[in-house]
Amino acid sequence: MAQEIPAKYEPLKIEDKWYKHWMDAGLFKSVPDERPSYTVVIPPPNVTGVLHMGHMLNNTIQDVLVRRARMRGFNACWVPGTDHASIATEAKVVQKLRKDGIKKSDLSRDEFLEHAWEWTHKHGGIILDQLKKLGASCDWDRTRFTMDEKYYASVIDSFIDLYKKGKIYRGERMINWDPAALTALSDEEVIYKEISSKLFQIRYQIAGSNDFVVIATTRPETILGDTAVCIHPKDERYTHLHGKKVIVPLVNREVPIILDEYVEMDFGTGCLKVTPAHDMNDFALGEKHQLEVINMMNPDGTISQAGQLYIGMDRFEVRTKIIADLEKAGHLVKTEEHINKVGFSERTDVVIEPRLSKQWFVDMKDLSKPALENVMNDRIKFWPSKFKNSYRNWMENIKDWCISRQLWWGHRIPAFYTSDGSYVVAKTKEEALLAFRATHPAITAEEITQDPDVLDTWFSSWLWPISVFDGFYSEDEIKYYYPTADLVTAPEIMFFWVARMIIAGYEYRGELPFKNVYYTGIVRDKQGRKMSKSLGNSPDPLDLIAMYGADGVRVGMLLSSPAGNDLLFDEGLCEQGRNFANKIWNAFRLVQSWQEKVDPALQQPESASIAIEWMRSKLNETLKTLNDDYDKFRINEALMTTYKLIWDDFCSWYLEMIKPPFGSGIDSKTLQATVEIFETILKVLHPFMPFISEEIWSYLGNRNSAQDSICLAKWPELSNTNETLLTTFSQFTEVVIGLRNVRKENNIPNKEKITIKVVAQEEYFKGFDASISHLCNTEAIEYVNEKPINSFTFIVKGTEFFVPFTDNVDVEVERKKIQEELHYTKGFLKSVESKLSNEKFVNNAPEQVLENERKKQQDALTRIKLLEEKLTSLN
């Protein structure tokens, strides 16, 4: 207690100190033991990423849950790590090489991977170090990377396993193609946006005739790949065209008119151009009708030789050029403004192209069944549960997952090929050679090549809860830590990651991977825009921490962040968090100042005794609410409950109720109880504000040992509650406020003692009288049956309080004040009753409005009665 306490709370000075202390003491480290486990796996950020506001929100919530679990006696294990992020990382490496004057195409695969690893070692892990500034209590010794040796092996082994089970196959399918990243994408990696475009109506001449059909398209460049026009077999407008052919404009290719019920007769002209190589639905039509497939576009979005015209030109340049040429040739009928949904690459934000390509796929139909069933039956709970609907919709309509990517950075597909196109799936080239020799006895290793593609990043991260514990190769840890407890993530990766982890969990462990999924909202600015670098509306989280302290930022992030709802971030919330920290610090300094004023001879006053009993009951009531909030993942409500407990109940009321008179000492019993109450408050505060709670905790108990850290302190347990004190406390506060208003409105100095006369209702609780006397400096509180004359008065829940006039009060002045107020209140009542007597108003106003008006009427009547009684009482 002899430590000198700074006058001002300075977070930057203490945060690094305490984080180092926690790390040096190994307080976040977890090994299996006899305690129940509480496991959380971090959603692994991109290895080359830096901290943004979404990370701040997500990891603050995780840390709150983990710290509380640790205090509740669980063996808390929070596993950190990073994702190799194939597309994003390769793009960054290519960009860096370009700046250095090196093209990827000039490098061998191994040379490029050397650059990629160099980049990863240089930039990887920055984000994890930044999370330490936030206070994240991860077991950093467990940090994993999806390209670690063992993790890499588990990804390859799972591919081989699923292939052997017939759940992975290679096939030529229409896929989403990213012309910028030059890779296939899964359906989930395509973001659809509504954009303003143009709808072109174009004439196709009927072969051997001067007649035409008109089709409509937003992508006229794909005309170069048309191999049919489709009409509905029952469309009477076109029955004369059955069996005919049309001539594709500009390229002059004769193609058949096909009949299919897929065409909607009442949509557009009822004629549909069919481009099997460049549209998902057209591909299906092409397969059904055995149409020619013309791949008229290169991987980079330029026109290929097969397109015949505009060869080498970019697809969007061609769109402009081909319309001009169609118009010139007389084929353009009409151009209309059009709003349509266009798919963009989630990573590069370029328009994707449907493309026919040979890729690797996971057959999801059977794999996904347990994952759907066990979310819908709440074995895995979603918070909020509203996300179950979109989850079910996606799972019931799940498509096969394209898992191959045309990149070099990532987990290379374990498939090996011979020159004749045959292939085997094997872990190594040596194993592949043995497999090939069953059909190619003379084959050599030099004649075998491995698939150049890598696996979709999500194909590695779907194994995250298993592979971080080496669950494919050892039961030592996985049987203790798995299934994990809670997953905190964003709803936009529900299908990318959450659903697939559940699928992998049931496939490889026969068990759910986590019990609860808490979905955060998106962090937006005050205008509702998603925060992004391009908009310049995203503050640097580290700058915020430097300005407001980590605890302040944590509170600011959580104050307006209900599960599943977007957070409208306002830097003022961080300022509010910092002010909260200052409030707590000042409360601590006040309590600490009493240590030097303990008077052993003092008996505990009745006002302090009742305050302590009330505060303990309030703590217990709050703890019940807090535990329920946590159980239902109402994290922001738990914070607000904690905030109000400290700011309103502890600081604004309790400390005032026990504060000794100026210049007086404090009794030891009250001080000891206050320290115990403060320590309990620090425990419930700790998950939200770990740094300031540890700093004050160390001072209050003079704690120096690592095992004395508040991180390991026991979460408070429920105890007895005095319900009477809780239910009557609001009555007490209203009395105190009423008496303070009497002093303020009538210029009665606080140091001047007053007498209170009370005409009490039968149910009025007198237990707080000592506290009223202490806070309001009363001479006496007298209970009387008759209303005294010449008094200031107010009513609390039917009980009337009177403060007799002092000698310096002018009765005539008071009479005039009351008469003025009475006149005003009667006028107000008249206006309210005028509304309520208006039949049109009563018939048309909403019930809530009418209810409000009736309440105003009743309040005015009550006030008039009181004022009239006051006038009568004046002598």
PDB file of all heavy atoms in Angstrom, residues 846-872:
ATOM      1  N   PRO A 846     -52.788   7.213 -32.657  1.00  0.00           N
ATOM      2  CA  PRO A 846     -52.364   5.877 -32.215  1.00  0.00           C
ATOM      3  C   PRO A 846     -52.595   5.713 -30.707  1.00  0.00           C
ATOM      4  O   PRO A 846     -52.571   6.690 -29.955  1.00  0.00           O
ATOM      5  CB  PRO A 846     -50.865   5.851 -32.548  1.00  0.00           C
ATOM      6  CG  PRO A 846     -50.672   6.913 -33.578  1.00  0.00           C
ATOM      7  CD  PRO A 846     -51.697   7.965 -33.284  1.00  0.00           C
ATOM      8  N   GLU A 847     -52.799   4.480 -30.284  1.00  0.00           N
ATOM      9  CA  GLU A 847     -53.101   4.205 -28.890  1.00  0.00           C
ATOM     10  C   GLU A 847     -52.007   4.713 -27.962  1.00  0.00           C
ATOM     11  O   GLU A 847     -52.278   5.229 -26.873  1.00  0.00           O
ATOM     12  CB  GLU A 847     -53.301   2.695 -28.695  1.00  0.00           C
ATOM     13  CG  GLU A 847     -53.731   2.296 -27.283  1.00  0.00           C
ATOM     14  CD  GLU A 847     -55.016   3.004 -26.828  1.00  0.00           C
ATOM     15  OE1 GLU A 847     -55.925   3.208 -27.667  1.00  0.00           O
ATOM     16  OE2 GLU A 847     -55.088   3.382 -25.652  1.00  0.00           O
ATOM     17  N   GLN A 848     -50.736   4.584 -28.408  1.00  0.00           N
ATOM     18  CA  GLN A 848     -49.629   5.023 -27.553  1.00  0.00           C
ATOM     19  C   GLN A 848     -49.669   6.546 -27.339  1.00  0.00           C
ATOM     20  O   GLN A 848     -49.388   7.035 -26.252  1.00  0.00           O
ATOM     21  CB  GLN A 848     -48.277   4.622 -28.177  1.00  0.00           C
ATOM     22  CG  GLN A 848     -47.055   4.914 -27.313  1.00  0.00           C
ATOM     23  CD  GLN A 848     -47.105   4.195 -25.973  1.00  0.00           C
ATOM     24  OE1 GLN A 848     -47.350   3.009 -25.909  1.00  0.00           O
ATOM     25  NE2 GLN A 848     -46.885   4.934 -24.889  1.00  0.00           N
ATOM     26  N   VAL A 849     -50.054   7.277 -28.378  1.00  0.00           N
ATOM     27  CA  VAL A 849     -50.162   8.740 -28.266  1.00  0.00           C
ATOM     28  C   VAL A 849     -51.269   9.100 -27.281  1.00  0.00           C
ATOM     29  O   VAL A 849     -51.108   9.975 -26.417  1.00  0.00           O
ATOM     30  CB  VAL A 849     -50.439   9.370 -29.649  1.00  0.00           C
ATOM     31  CG1 VAL A 849     -50.746  10.858 -29.509  1.00  0.00           C
ATOM     32  CG2 VAL A 849     -49.240   9.157 -30.577  1.00  0.00           C
ATOM     33  N   LEU A 850     -52.407   8.415 -27.399  1.00  0.00           N
ATOM     34  CA  LEU A 850     -53.518   8.663 -26.471  1.00  0.00           C
ATOM     35  C   LEU A 850     -53.111   8.356 -25.035  1.00  0.00           C
ATOM     36  O   LEU A 850     -53.443   9.103 -24.104  1.00  0.00           O
ATOM     37  CB  LEU A 850     -54.731   7.807 -26.861  1.00  0.00           C
ATOM     38  CG  LEU A 850     -55.486   8.225 -28.126  1.00  0.00           C
ATOM     39  CD1 LEU A 850     -56.567   7.204 -28.471  1.00  0.00           C
ATOM     40  CD2 LEU A 850     -56.118   9.604 -27.946  1.00  0.00           C
ATOM     41  N   GLU A 851     -52.391   7.251 -24.882  1.00  0.00           N
ATOM     42  CA  GLU A 851     -51.927   6.855 -23.543  1.00  0.00           C
ATOM     43  C   GLU A 851     -51.020   7.927 -22.947  1.00  0.00           C
ATOM     44  O   GLU A 851     -51.117   8.264 -21.757  1.00  0.00           O
ATOM     45  CB  GLU A 851     -51.196   5.509 -23.630  1.00  0.00           C
ATOM     46  CG  GLU A 851     -50.924   4.836 -22.291  1.00  0.00           C
ATOM     47  CD  GLU A 851     -52.198   4.521 -21.516  1.00  0.00           C
ATOM     48  OE1 GLU A 851     -53.224   4.161 -22.142  1.00  0.00           O
ATOM     49  OE2 GLU A 851     -52.178   4.683 -20.280  1.00  0.00           O
ATOM     50  N   ASN A 852     -50.138   8.481 -23.772  1.00  0.00           N
ATOM     51  CA  ASN A 852     -49.237   9.541 -23.304  1.00  0.00           C
ATOM     52  C   ASN A 852     -50.030  10.788 -22.868  1.00  0.00           C
ATOM     53  O   ASN A 852     -49.702  11.419 -21.856  1.00  0.00           O
ATOM     54  CB  ASN A 852     -48.240   9.929 -24.407  1.00  0.00           C
ATOM     55  CG  ASN A 852     -47.217   8.848 -24.653  1.00  0.00           C
ATOM     56  OD1 ASN A 852     -47.018   7.979 -23.812  1.00  0.00           O
ATOM     57  ND2 ASN A 852     -46.565   8.883 -25.808  1.00  0.00           N
ATOM     58  N   GLU A 853     -51.044  11.142 -23.658  1.00  0.00           N
ATOM     59  CA  GLU A 853     -51.853  12.321 -23.326  1.00  0.00           C
ATOM     60  C   GLU A 853     -52.623  12.107 -22.019  1.00  0.00           C
ATOM     61  O   GLU A 853     -52.746  13.005 -21.194  1.00  0.00           O
ATOM     62  CB  GLU A 853     -52.817  12.640 -24.460  1.00  0.00           C
ATOM     63  CG  GLU A 853     -52.152  13.130 -25.740  1.00  0.00           C
ATOM     64  CD  GLU A 853     -51.321  14.380 -25.521  1.00  0.00           C
ATOM     65  OE1 GLU A 853     -51.787  15.304 -24.825  1.00  0.00           O
ATOM     66  OE2 GLU A 853     -50.183  14.428 -26.029  1.00  0.00           O
ATOM     67  N   ARG A 854     -53.161  10.894 -21.829  1.00  0.00           N
ATOM     68  CA  ARG A 854     -53.894  10.609 -20.582  1.00  0.00           C
ATOM     69  C   ARG A 854     -52.966  10.661 -19.375  1.00  0.00           C
ATOM     70  O   ARG A 854     -53.360  11.105 -18.288  1.00  0.00           O
ATOM     71  CB  ARG A 854     -54.557   9.233 -20.679  1.00  0.00           C
ATOM     72  CG  ARG A 854     -55.678   9.176 -21.715  1.00  0.00           C
ATOM     73  CD  ARG A 854     -56.417   7.843 -21.673  1.00  0.00           C
ATOM     74  NE  ARG A 854     -57.352   7.733 -22.803  1.00  0.00           N
ATOM     75  CZ  ARG A 854     -57.196   6.881 -23.816  1.00  0.00           C
ATOM     76  NH1 ARG A 854     -56.156   6.062 -23.847  1.00  0.00           N
ATOM     77  NH2 ARG A 854     -58.083   6.853 -24.785  1.00  0.00           N
ATOM     78  N   LYS A 855     -51.711  10.210 -19.591  1.00  0.00           N
ATOM     79  CA  LYS A 855     -50.741  10.268 -18.490  1.00  0.00           C
ATOM     80  C   LYS A 855     -50.408  11.725 -18.145  1.00  0.00           C
ATOM     81  O   LYS A 855     -50.302  12.101 -16.976  1.00  0.00           O
ATOM     82  CB  LYS A 855     -49.460   9.510 -18.863  1.00  0.00           C
ATOM     83  CG  LYS A 855     -48.459   9.407 -17.716  1.00  0.00           C
ATOM     84  CD  LYS A 855     -47.249   8.573 -18.093  1.00  0.00           C
ATOM     85  CE  LYS A 855     -46.326   8.392 -16.911  1.00  0.00           C
ATOM     86  NZ  LYS A 855     -45.881   9.627 -16.279  1.00  0.00           N
ATOM     87  N   LYS A 856     -50.266  12.551 -19.185  1.00  0.00           N
ATOM     88  CA  LYS A 856     -50.019  13.982 -18.957  1.00  0.00           C
ATOM     89  C   LYS A 856     -51.161  14.597 -18.144  1.00  0.00           C
ATOM     90  O   LYS A 856     -50.953  15.404 -17.236  1.00  0.00           O
ATOM     91  CB  LYS A 856     -49.881  14.723 -20.295  1.00  0.00           C
ATOM     92  CG  LYS A 856     -48.610  14.444 -21.063  1.00  0.00           C
ATOM     93  CD  LYS A 856     -48.656  15.203 -22.394  1.00  0.00           C
ATOM     94  CE  LYS A 856     -47.501  14.830 -23.295  1.00  0.00           C
ATOM     95  NZ  LYS A 856     -47.611  15.509 -24.610  1.00  0.00           N
ATOM     96  N   GLN A 857     -52.403  14.199 -18.500  1.00  0.00           N
ATOM     97  CA  GLN A 857     -53.579  14.713 -17.792  1.00  0.00           C
ATOM     98  C   GLN A 857     -53.530  14.337 -16.310  1.00  0.00           C
ATOM     99  O   GLN A 857     -53.736  15.178 -15.434  1.00  0.00           O
ATOM    100  CB  GLN A 857     -54.844  14.150 -18.442  1.00  0.00           C
ATOM    101  CG  GLN A 857     -56.139  14.620 -17.787  1.00  0.00           C
ATOM    102  CD  GLN A 857     -57.346  13.892 -18.362  1.00  0.00           C
ATOM    103  OE1 GLN A 857     -57.272  12.695 -18.681  1.00  0.00           O
ATOM    104  NE2 GLN A 857     -58.455  14.608 -18.509  1.00  0.00           N
ATOM    105  N   GLN A 858     -53.208  13.057 -16.054  1.00  0.00           N
ATOM    106  CA  GLN A 858     -53.184  12.587 -14.666  1.00  0.00           C
ATOM    107  C   GLN A 858     -52.069  13.250 -13.871  1.00  0.00           C
ATOM    108  O   GLN A 858     -52.256  13.650 -12.717  1.00  0.00           O
ATOM    109  CB  GLN A 858     -53.025  11.063 -14.647  1.00  0.00           C
ATOM    110  CG  GLN A 858     -53.272  10.426 -13.285  1.00  0.00           C
ATOM    111  CD  GLN A 858     -54.635  10.785 -12.722  1.00  0.00           C
ATOM    112  OE1 GLN A 858     -55.654  10.658 -13.389  1.00  0.00           O
ATOM    113  NE2 GLN A 858     -54.668  11.271 -11.493  1.00  0.00           N
ATOM    114  N   ASP A 859     -50.903  13.380 -14.498  1.00  0.00           N
ATOM    115  CA  ASP A 859     -49.768  14.027 -13.815  1.00  0.00           C
ATOM    116  C   ASP A 859     -50.099  15.475 -13.474  1.00  0.00           C
ATOM    117  O   ASP A 859     -49.751  15.976 -12.396  1.00  0.00           O
ATOM    118  CB  ASP A 859     -48.520  13.972 -14.708  1.00  0.00           C
ATOM    119  CG  ASP A 859     -47.958  12.559 -14.814  1.00  0.00           C
ATOM    120  OD1 ASP A 859     -48.373  11.692 -14.018  1.00  0.00           O
ATOM    121  OD2 ASP A 859     -47.117  12.336 -15.714  1.00  0.00           O
ATOM    122  N   ALA A 860     -50.764  16.166 -14.406  1.00  0.00           N
ATOM    123  CA  ALA A 860     -51.118  17.574 -14.175  1.00  0.00           C
ATOM    124  C   ALA A 860     -52.121  17.702 -13.035  1.00  0.00           C
ATOM    125  O   ALA A 860     -52.011  18.590 -12.174  1.00  0.00           O
ATOM    126  CB  ALA A 860     -51.676  18.189 -15.461  1.00  0.00           C
ATOM    127  N   LEU A 861     -53.098  16.805 -12.999  1.00  0.00           N
ATOM    128  CA  LEU A 861     -54.090  16.824 -11.911  1.00  0.00           C
ATOM    129  C   LEU A 861     -53.431  16.596 -10.553  1.00  0.00           C
ATOM    130  O   LEU A 861     -53.758  17.263  -9.566  1.00  0.00           O
ATOM    131  CB  LEU A 861     -55.169  15.759 -12.162  1.00  0.00           C
ATOM    132  CG  LEU A 861     -56.170  16.058 -13.289  1.00  0.00           C
ATOM    133  CD1 LEU A 861     -56.980  14.818 -13.646  1.00  0.00           C
ATOM    134  CD2 LEU A 861     -57.098  17.213 -12.890  1.00  0.00           C
ATOM    135  N   THR A 862     -52.500  15.644 -10.524  1.00  0.00           N
ATOM    136  CA  THR A 862     -51.783  15.349  -9.277  1.00  0.00           C
ATOM    137  C   THR A 862     -50.954  16.555  -8.838  1.00  0.00           C
ATOM    138  O   THR A 862     -50.929  16.928  -7.653  1.00  0.00           O
ATOM    139  CB  THR A 862     -50.853  14.138  -9.472  1.00  0.00           C
ATOM    140  OG1 THR A 862     -51.643  13.019  -9.895  1.00  0.00           O
ATOM    141  CG2 THR A 862     -50.127  13.781  -8.179  1.00  0.00           C
ATOM    142  N   ARG A 863     -50.299  17.184  -9.826  1.00  0.00           N
ATOM    143  CA  ARG A 863     -49.454  18.345  -9.513  1.00  0.00           C
ATOM    144  C   ARG A 863     -50.307  19.523  -9.013  1.00  0.00           C
ATOM    145  O   ARG A 863     -49.933  20.222  -8.068  1.00  0.00           O
ATOM    146  CB  ARG A 863     -48.660  18.754 -10.761  1.00  0.00           C
ATOM    147  CG  ARG A 863     -47.642  19.854 -10.536  1.00  0.00           C
ATOM    148  CD  ARG A 863     -46.535  19.387  -9.624  1.00  0.00           C
ATOM    149  NE  ARG A 863     -45.581  20.442  -9.319  1.00  0.00           N
ATOM    150  CZ  ARG A 863     -44.769  20.426  -8.273  1.00  0.00           C
ATOM    151  NH1 ARG A 863     -44.808  19.413  -7.422  1.00  0.00           N
ATOM    152  NH2 ARG A 863     -43.927  21.415  -8.067  1.00  0.00           N
ATOM    153  N   ILE A 864     -51.476  19.743  -9.625  1.00  0.00           N
ATOM    154  CA  ILE A 864     -52.367  20.834  -9.211  1.00  0.00           C
ATOM    155  C   ILE A 864     -52.829  20.624  -7.772  1.00  0.00           C
ATOM    156  O   ILE A 864     -52.845  21.562  -6.948  1.00  0.00           O
ATOM    157  CB  ILE A 864     -53.570  20.929 -10.177  1.00  0.00           C
ATOM    158  CG1 ILE A 864     -53.112  21.505 -11.524  1.00  0.00           C
ATOM    159  CG2 ILE A 864     -54.692  21.769  -9.589  1.00  0.00           C
ATOM    160  CD1 ILE A 864     -54.120  21.375 -12.633  1.00  0.00           C
ATOM    161  N   LYS A 865     -53.187  19.362  -7.468  1.00  0.00           N
ATOM    162  CA  LYS A 865     -53.640  19.058  -6.104  1.00  0.00           C
ATOM    163  C   LYS A 865     -52.532  19.367  -5.093  1.00  0.00           C
ATOM    164  O   LYS A 865     -52.769  19.973  -4.045  1.00  0.00           O
ATOM    165  CB  LYS A 865     -54.054  17.594  -6.023  1.00  0.00           C
ATOM    166  CG  LYS A 865     -54.589  17.194  -4.647  1.00  0.00           C
ATOM    167  CD  LYS A 865     -54.926  15.715  -4.598  1.00  0.00           C
ATOM    168  CE  LYS A 865     -55.384  15.328  -3.196  1.00  0.00           C
ATOM    169  NZ  LYS A 865     -55.626  13.874  -3.054  1.00  0.00           N
ATOM    170  N   LEU A 866     -51.310  18.970  -5.430  1.00  0.00           N
ATOM    171  CA  LEU A 866     -50.178  19.205  -4.527  1.00  0.00           C
ATOM    172  C   LEU A 866     -49.930  20.704  -4.342  1.00  0.00           C
ATOM    173  O   LEU A 866     -49.708  21.178  -3.218  1.00  0.00           O
ATOM    174  CB  LEU A 866     -48.926  18.518  -5.093  1.00  0.00           C
ATOM    175  CG  LEU A 866     -47.617  18.755  -4.336  1.00  0.00           C
ATOM    176  CD1 LEU A 866     -47.694  18.172  -2.924  1.00  0.00           C
ATOM    177  CD2 LEU A 866     -46.439  18.150  -5.086  1.00  0.00           C
ATOM    178  N   LEU A 867     -49.960  21.447  -5.448  1.00  0.00           N
ATOM    179  CA  LEU A 867     -49.698  22.896  -5.374  1.00  0.00           C
ATOM    180  C   LEU A 867     -50.782  23.609  -4.562  1.00  0.00           C
ATOM    181  O   LEU A 867     -50.498  24.530  -3.787  1.00  0.00           O
ATOM    182  CB  LEU A 867     -49.607  23.480  -6.781  1.00  0.00           C
ATOM    183  CG  LEU A 867     -48.377  23.063  -7.594  1.00  0.00           C
ATOM    184  CD1 LEU A 867     -48.530  23.466  -9.055  1.00  0.00           C
ATOM    185  CD2 LEU A 867     -47.092  23.654  -7.021  1.00  0.00           C
ATOM    186  N   GLU A 868     -52.018  23.184  -4.748  1.00  0.00           N
ATOM    187  CA  GLU A 868     -53.113  23.792  -3.972  1.00  0.00           C
ATOM    188  C   GLU A 868     -52.953  23.502  -2.484  1.00  0.00           C
ATOM    189  O   GLU A 868     -53.223  24.371  -1.635  1.00  0.00           O
ATOM    190  CB  GLU A 868     -54.449  23.276  -4.487  1.00  0.00           C
ATOM    191  CG  GLU A 868     -54.812  23.859  -5.860  1.00  0.00           C
ATOM    192  CD  GLU A 868     -56.079  23.261  -6.452  1.00  0.00           C
ATOM    193  OE1 GLU A 868     -56.490  22.162  -5.996  1.00  0.00           O
ATOM    194  OE2 GLU A 868     -56.631  23.883  -7.390  1.00  0.00           O
ATOM    195  N   GLU A 869     -52.510  22.279  -2.178  1.00  0.00           N
ATOM    196  CA  GLU A 869     -52.266  21.945  -0.774  1.00  0.00           C
ATOM    197  C   GLU A 869     -51.106  22.770  -0.215  1.00  0.00           C
ATOM    198  O   GLU A 869     -51.126  23.191   0.952  1.00  0.00           O
ATOM    199  CB  GLU A 869     -51.968  20.450  -0.638  1.00  0.00           C
ATOM    200  CG  GLU A 869     -53.194  19.563  -0.846  1.00  0.00           C
ATOM    201  CD  GLU A 869     -52.855  18.082  -0.804  1.00  0.00           C
ATOM    202  OE1 GLU A 869     -51.651  17.744  -0.760  1.00  0.00           O
ATOM    203  OE2 GLU A 869     -53.788  17.253  -0.832  1.00  0.00           O
ATOM    204  N   LYS A 870     -50.090  22.997  -1.068  1.00  0.00           N
ATOM    205  CA  LYS A 870     -48.955  23.820  -0.636  1.00  0.00           C
ATOM    206  C   LYS A 870     -49.425  25.232  -0.290  1.00  0.00           C
ATOM    207  O   LYS A 870     -49.018  25.819   0.712  1.00  0.00           O
ATOM    208  CB  LYS A 870     -47.889  23.892  -1.748  1.00  0.00           C
ATOM    209  CG  LYS A 870     -46.909  22.765  -1.773  1.00  0.00           C
ATOM    210  CD  LYS A 870     -45.837  23.070  -2.802  1.00  0.00           C
ATOM    211  CE  LYS A 870     -44.734  22.058  -2.776  1.00  0.00           C
ATOM    212  NZ  LYS A 870     -43.661  22.420  -3.720  1.00  0.00           N
ATOM    213  N   LEU A 871     -50.293  25.786  -1.155  1.00  0.00           N
ATOM    214  CA  LEU A 871     -50.810  27.143  -0.916  1.00  0.00           C
ATOM    215  C   LEU A 871     -51.570  27.207   0.404  1.00  0.00           C
ATOM    216  O   LEU A 871     -51.429  28.144   1.207  1.00  0.00           O
ATOM    217  CB  LEU A 871     -51.741  27.561  -2.055  1.00  0.00           C
ATOM    218  CG  LEU A 871     -51.091  28.210  -3.288  1.00  0.00           C
ATOM    219  CD1 LEU A 871     -52.157  28.524  -4.329  1.00  0.00           C
ATOM    220  CD2 LEU A 871     -50.333  29.480  -2.908  1.00  0.00           C
ATOM    221  N   THR A 872     -52.375  26.185   0.620  1.00  0.00           N
ATOM    222  CA  THR A 872     -53.176  26.146   1.850  1.00  0.00           C
ATOM    223  C   THR A 872     -52.289  26.066   3.090  1.00  0.00           C
ATOM    224  O   THR A 872     -52.604  26.634   4.152  1.00  0.00           O
ATOM    225  CB  THR A 872     -54.128  24.926   1.814  1.00  0.00           C
ATOM    226  OG1 THR A 872     -54.922  24.995   0.633  1.00  0.00           O
ATOM    227  CG2 THR A 872     -55.046  24.902   3.034  1.00  0.00           C
TER     228      THR A 872
END
